[in-house]
Amino acid sequence: MSQSKAKHAEIKQKQQKLDLAKQTLKAEFVGLDGVINEVVDAIGSWYLFPEIQEKPLVINLWGLTGVGKTSLVKRLASLVDFEKQFYPFDLGRGRRQVDVQYGMEGIFENEGGYPVILAFDEFQHARTLDQFRQEKENSNNPIIWQLLDSGKFYTGYSGSDVHELYELLGRLRKYNRLGIKVERGVVAEGIETFRKIREREEMLKLGEFKMVIHDLRFIPTTYCEKMYDAAKDMFETPTDVEQQCVELDGPGSIKLLQKVIKEAQAPREIDCSKSLIFIMGNLDEAYQMSNNQNTDISADDFHLESLKINVPDIKKALEMRFRQEQIARLGNNHIIYPALNRQNFEEIIRRELNKIADKARSHFDLELHFHASLNKRLYLEGVYPTHGTRPLFTTIYHMVHSRLGKVVHELYKHKLIGCSVQFEGHVKGILVRFLRGEETCHTVLFEQVFELNKLRAEKRDDRQAITAVHESGHVVLAVVLLRTLPKLVCSVTSDTNSNGFSQIEKIREYTSKREILSRIAMLLGGLIAEKIVFGEDYITDGSSLDIKRATHLATSALKEEGLGSANGYYDVESQTPGFSLFDNDYRLNGEARELIAAAAGLAEETLKEQEKLLLHMANY
């Protein structure tokens, strides 16, 4: 076969492997078809023609925690036969630059610069700017930025190891000054002097223990490997170091060690230009919904919000952590993971239960079935939309997988061999039904407290009544003043930091001056509703966030957006030179107070007019 035909056959085989990898990943990872298409397509040129690559291919993967960034990259490496050339680095808090440097040196000494896949996970922790966008002291991992730029970096031998070689050099010079003679690497004259000095050195190291020195080699064999590691270009193997040492006299041994130290201190180039680099991280600045831990918020809503995130949003979020030239080195291959929606989570539950059923069938010859009530219970207890799949996997393991042993024990205990088993959700836990055909032979109830369900349960107490009135106040004003229907209203919630909430979304991407008053009124609606229903003296705490948001909306509209009597940008006065104006006469502060007061008046007037609707909704 000619060289060109062989090359064509190789490319065809690789392309088939890429296509198969794409299909396999889509079958194994739920809700990531778009991401998988982007990733596999992006690595095509690198995978088919790595020899023509002059600098690393950098692919950035951004998403919420637990959506499959790391596992997808690892699986992809396996599917394209790079499992042994896949090197992950976790840049989590506390990871030192030297860890990455040692790892990189080891990779490219072993791989000889051939194509490998590098994965830098938790990249958000490699930030070089602090939360105030000031340069961090001792910004870690400068080697990574060199890698992302040219794919090459320079390094020298470890300082501590060079220090050991320097200490050895000092001892050899001392022996030479004392007239100790060496032939073919071994002390030939001054043996007793050599032994006494060596024994004294060992005693200083080990305390009172006295060691008898029998080894008369001028350069101990324990240093041969250190010399090889320090100057690999000078030797073939550590054995080669030994062979050279046994051919030298004292001055020759000293010259060889000096040469090794000089070589060790010379910078070495590590070439990673043929590599594929994955950057993976969680950017809370882009995924602002990640701060909402409430399990009662719809996964579909989180999913839709995540679909709005684009590459400019990612780069803007990166600006909060990295310098502009560093962001430029990340390139433009930014692949954005969507949050998982309800259908995705339900499919994950189905797949995980099928895996458990397969395991029961293969290990115990047991047929497992799962009732829809179990799937519902797993979803309600296991899904935290902003936490991805990890809490769900844990819940499935705890509620189902961990009970297999007890189920098998029941089979033998009650002589139910041949029965199938069905797991069901139950108000008190997990009900396991043993079936012969469709007839129930035996049942076991594994009692369990469903914590989230307990938190969501109707309280029908003063707190829920107050919360119902409060949230209804927001909703009535949203409907009447903003012509907006709420997506969700709760007077009880699984979020321990909240008594309830209203999910009221803007129907437009902008806010007009005319709408400001109504929007502030809606934010104050909870507090005003409590006042109308319970009386001025019985309003409760819990409105602080509403008031902060209302105040921020009023002051930003007047001081930043030009929607008041002044068109300038107003900020607090400081000694730092800037380009903002100062509200020294408190005119805009006064306007903000008037605006908030007017909004409170509008809220009270509207809620009194709609008191029947307010009470009806609160009762409901």
Side-chain angles (χ1 to χ4, degrees):
M1 185 184 291
S2 68
Q3 187 175 356
S4 60
K5 286 184 178 179
K7 185 64 177 175
H8 181 263
E10 180 191 351
I11 292 172
K12 182 179 179 181
Q13 184 182 25
K14 282 186 170 182
Q15 185 59 58
Q16 289 173 344
K17 190 160 288 187
L18 269 183
D19 294 340
L20 180 59
K22 183 184 289 188
Q23 294 173 22
T24 304
L25 290 172
K26 288 182 179 179
E28 294 179 357
F29 290 85
V30 176
L32 297 180
D33 285 7
V35 167
I36 291 165
N37 285 336
E38 288 190 73
V39 171
V40 176
D41 292 346
I43 72 168
S45 179
W46 168 84
Y47 185 62
L48 297 176
F49 315 107
E51 66 277 2
I52 67 173
Q53 186 165 289
E54 296 181 357
K55 58 190 303 185
L57 170 64
V58 181
I59 298 176
N60 303 273
L61 304 179
W62 307 109
L64 296 168
T65 184
V67 293
K69 298 184 293 294
T70 308
S71 52
L72 187 142
V73 170
K74 184 177 181 181
R75 183 66 173 127
L76 174 62
S78 173
L79 291 171
V80 296
D81 296 332
F82 267 75
E83 192 168 21
K84 293 183 179 179
Q85 292 85 38
F86 173 63
Y87 299 94
F89 293 89
D90 186 342
L91 302 181
R93 299 181 191 279
R95 188 66 187 258
R96 300 177 304 159
Q97 173 204 337
V98 70
D99 298 329
V100 177
Q101 179 175 330
Y102 282 165
M104 295 304 307
E105 290 174 4
I107 290 170
F108 285 94
E109 284 169 2
N110 295 329
E111 298 298 333
Y114 289 107
V116 297
I117 300 177
L118 308 175
F120 294 103
D121 205 354
E122 300 292 336
F123 195 78
Q124 71 273 13
H125 295 306
R127 67 187 306 163
T128 54
L129 302 180
D130 63 20
Q131 65 268 37
F132 305 110
R133 300 197 75 247
Q134 300 298 313
E135 192 79 22
K136 287 182 66 179
E137 291 185 14
N138 303 318
S139 296
N140 63 341
N141 298 320
I143 284 174
I144 293 175
W145 300 108
Q146 296 174 37
L147 279 174
L148 295 173
D149 185 28
S150 64
K152 300 175 182 179
F153 67 92
Y154 290 88
T155 182
Y157 194 50
S158 162
S160 60
D161 291 338
V162 170
H163 181 68
E164 285 189 48
L165 295 179
Y166 263 120
E167 285 186 338
L168 175 62
L169 178 61
R171 293 203 301 270
L172 298 188
R173 284 172 169 165
K174 178 180 179 181
Y175 303 150
N176 195 49
R177 287 196 302 271
L178 292 172
I180 293 171
K181 303 297 182 184
V182 178
E183 293 179 5
R184 299 187 64 81
V186 179
V187 175
E189 295 182 20
I191 293 175
E192 287 306 313
T193 302
F194 177 79
R195 277 182 171 153
K196 286 180 181 179
I197 295 173
R198 290 284 289 113
E199 288 170 1
R200 189 160 57 246
E201 289 170 350
E202 291 302 321
M203 191 170 67
L204 289 172
K205 281 184 187 177
L206 303 174
E208 296 182 0
F209 178 78
K210 185 174 182 181
M211 178 180 287
V212 178
I213 301 297
H214 298 288
D215 187 357
L216 298 179
R217 279 171 289 195
F218 198 51
I219 295 180
T221 53
T222 53
Y223 282 88
C224 291
E225 190 164 347
K226 295 181 187 295
M227 293 170 67
Y228 170 75
D229 288 339
K232 289 184 178 178
D233 291 341
M234 291 175 55
F235 310 103
E236 295 291 332
T237 64
T239 306
D240 185 29
V241 182
E242 284 190 63
Q243 289 173 348
Q244 290 195 36
C245 287
V246 298
E247 295 174 359
L248 299 172
D249 58 10
S253 298
I254 291 172
K255 284 182 180 179
L256 175 64
L257 186 55
Q258 287 175 324
K259 189 175 180 181
V260 166
I261 292 173
K262 184 177 180 181
E263 180 70 18
Q265 292 178 318
R268 291 183 296 158
E269 183 184 79
I270 305 295
D271 186 356
C272 315
S273 58
K274 307 287 185 205
S275 60
L276 166 63
I277 300 178
F278 282 102
I279 300 294
M280 298 176 285
N282 311 324
L283 289 176
D284 292 344
E285 294 87 349
Y287 289 81
Q288 294 185 8
M289 75 286 284
S290 65
N291 295 320
N292 192 336
Q293 312 301 321
N294 195 327
T295 59
D296 293 323
I297 297 291
S298 166
D300 291 335
D301 289 336
F302 278 111
H303 174 75
L304 292 174
E305 282 298 310
S306 69
L307 294 180
K308 297 176 183 178
I309 300 170
N310 52 38
V311 173
D313 292 330
I314 293 295
K315 292 202 171 190
K316 188 173 182 63
L318 289 169
E319 288 178 1
M320 304 304 294
R321 295 173 180 266
F322 303 104
R323 299 191 302 272
Q324 289 294 341
E325 68 271 16
Q326 292 171 330
I327 298 172
R329 293 182 188 188
L330 294 174
N332 277 338
N333 282 328
H334 293 278
I335 297 174
I336 303 167
Y337 272 63
L340 298 172
N341 60 25
R342 185 184 184 98
Q343 184 179 356
N344 297 152
F345 282 116
E346 289 174 343
E347 176 63 16
I348 289 168
I349 292 171
R350 187 186 67 80
R351 291 189 184 192
E352 288 303 304
L353 292 179
N354 284 343
K355 289 179 184 177
I356 295 172
D358 291 341
K359 185 179 294 185
R361 190 178 300 113
S362 62
H363 284 74
F364 310 115
D365 194 26
L366 173 63
E367 286 296 323
L368 285 187
H369 304 285
F370 305 100
H371 193 267
S373 58
L374 175 72
N375 296 48
K376 181 179 180 181
R377 182 61 63 195
L378 289 170
Y379 185 93
L380 291 173
E381 286 295 312
V383 172
Y384 288 73
T386 56
H387 290 179
T389 58
R390 293 189 184 101
L392 181 57
F393 288 144
T394 304
T395 301
I396 294 171
Y397 183 87
H398 176 60
M399 290 172 60
V400 183
H401 189 282
S402 66
R403 279 155 178 157
L404 281 184
K406 293 180 181 178
V407 169
V408 173
H409 174 70
E410 288 288 318
L411 276 174
Y412 287 104
K413 178 181 176 182
H414 297 280
K415 299 179 180 179
L416 299 170
I417 305 301
C419 283
S420 63
V421 172
Q422 178 168 283
F423 280 73
E424 301 176 7
H426 189 275
V427 291
K428 292 184 178 180
I430 304 299
L431 179 68
V432 177
R433 197 183 297 276
F434 296 81
L435 303 168
R436 287 195 192 277
E438 295 183 1
E439 181 184 351
T440 300
C441 305
H442 179 61
T443 59
V444 176
L445 177 64
F446 295 108
E447 292 190 3
Q448 178 171 331
V449 176
F450 298 118
E451 293 295 341
L452 296 185
N453 188 59
K454 184 179 177 181
L455 291 169
R456 293 186 181 110
E458 293 283 339
K459 308 297 188 299
R460 296 190 175 275
D461 56 8
D462 285 353
R463 175 175 289 183
Q464 186 177 358
I466 294 166
T467 305
V469 169
H470 184 104
E471 298 305 330
S472 296
H474 291 307
V475 171
V476 169
L477 293 174
V479 170
V480 176
L481 298 179
L482 299 172
R483 300 293 190 268
T484 302
L485 288 172
K487 297 197 71 172
L488 185 64
V489 189
C490 294
S491 60
V492 288
T493 175
S494 58
D495 185 356
T496 55
N497 295 316
S498 172
N499 296 325
F501 65 93
S502 306
Q503 191 176 346
I504 301 169
E505 297 183 352
K506 293 177 67 174
I507 58 176
R508 289 182 293 273
E509 293 296 323
Y510 58 88
T511 301
S512 66
K513 181 176 181 178
R514 182 178 180 180
E515 191 180 313
I516 293 289
L517 182 67
S518 296
R519 193 158 290 281
I520 296 173
M522 186 268 290
L523 290 170
L524 298 175
L527 183 65
I528 302 300
E530 290 184 41
K531 176 182 174 184
I532 291 172
V533 175
F534 302 120
E536 176 77 39
D537 292 339
Y538 293 97
I539 58 175
T540 62
D541 58 354
S543 297
S544 60
L545 182 59
D546 295 335
I547 293 171
K548 285 178 183 176
R549 291 172 63 193
T551 305
H552 180 266
L553 180 56
T555 54
S556 62
L558 298 173
K559 295 184 177 183
E560 298 177 15
E561 308 294 347
L563 299 182
S565 63
N567 293 326
Y569 173 76
Y570 287 78
D571 200 354
V572 293
E573 190 168 4
S574 68
Q575 295 180 347
T576 306
F579 302 95
S580 56
L581 300 171
F582 309 123
D583 188 25
N584 290 331
D585 59 0
Y586 299 104
R587 179 165 56 91
L588 291 177
N589 269 16
E591 289 183 22
R593 279 195 294 271
E594 291 172 5
L595 179 57
I596 293 169
L602 176 61
E604 186 166 0
E605 178 185 348
T606 306
L607 289 176
K608 283 182 177 178
E609 290 175 358
Q610 302 293 337
E611 189 169 357
K612 186 176 180 180
L613 174 60
L614 172 67
L615 292 173
H616 186 79
M617 183 175 291
N619 284 330
Y620 178 82

